[in-house]
Amino acid sequence: MKRIVILFSGRGSNMQKLIENLSDRVDIVKCITDKKDAKGLEICKNHSIESHILSSDFQKELIELVDSLNIDLVVCAGFMRILPKEFVERFKCVNIHPSLLPRHQGLNAIKRSYNDDFNDAGITIHYVDEGVDTGKVIAQYKIDKIKDETIEEFEDRIHSLEHKYYSEAVSKILNI
Ligand code: GRF
């Protein structure tokens, strides 16, 4: 079985979908977070997946940990740190971002998409390089903006896209 780790920092809804959709076909060896109170830790516990909390100076620790696990792919799912160059050069890493990159790289992408002048918005699944949301695009999915939609409704539709397509993309990359 192919082996992955998932990196997350917060609520972990994308991680949860990855676990639900892929656990029968891929070995999710560990879920790694930089936040000791990340809500997603509960999801790991509920699915009996080992979790690891990084220390604040995490760069070396993360490289050594992932190196020791013999991983095919590192899957970022809301990991709010920039990965060191050495890490992204050593391991194949993918990320999901809630905008149509190169629009709205970085933080608050959903709010910025909601407020921009385009008629559409969406998500991007991409390889991770040393920049912030600058890696090669793997797939993008779009929604049309709806007149008078609230930001909460818009955000829900963006997250639905993420939950629908991230597992599919990861399974394609892994060829499983
Ligand atoms: C998602 O919107 C993802 O695109 C972004 O961070 C958010 C993580 O949400 N990178 P969750 O923790 O998976 O619920």
Side-chain angles (χ1 to χ4, degrees), residues 10-15 77-80 95-98 110 159 162-163:
R11 137 183 112 132
S13 67
N14 282 287
M15 175 176 70
F79 186 65
M80 304 304 283
N95 184 42
I96 187 158
H97 187 76
I110 296 182
H159 288 311
E162 296 189 311
H163 298 161

Side-chain angles (χ1 to χ4, degrees), residues 57-69:
D57 190 16
F58 71 92
Q59 278 86 348
K60 190 163 173 275
E61 180 187 351
L62 184 60
I63 291 176
E64 285 175 2
L65 175 63
V66 175
D67 225 3
S68 72
L69 296 171

Side-chain angles (χ1 to χ4, degrees), residues 117-133:
D117 291 331
F118 293 99
N119 295 323
D120 59 5
I123 65 162
T124 303
I125 296 160
H126 64 96
Y127 288 111
V128 181
D129 65 12
E130 61 194 283
V132 178
D133 305 316

Side-chain angles (χ1 to χ4, degrees), residues 162-174:
E162 296 189 311
H163 298 161
K164 184 163 177 204
Y165 290 112
Y166 203 17
S167 308
E168 189 181 297
V170 169
S171 89
K172 269 194 197 147
I173 293 161
L174 289 171

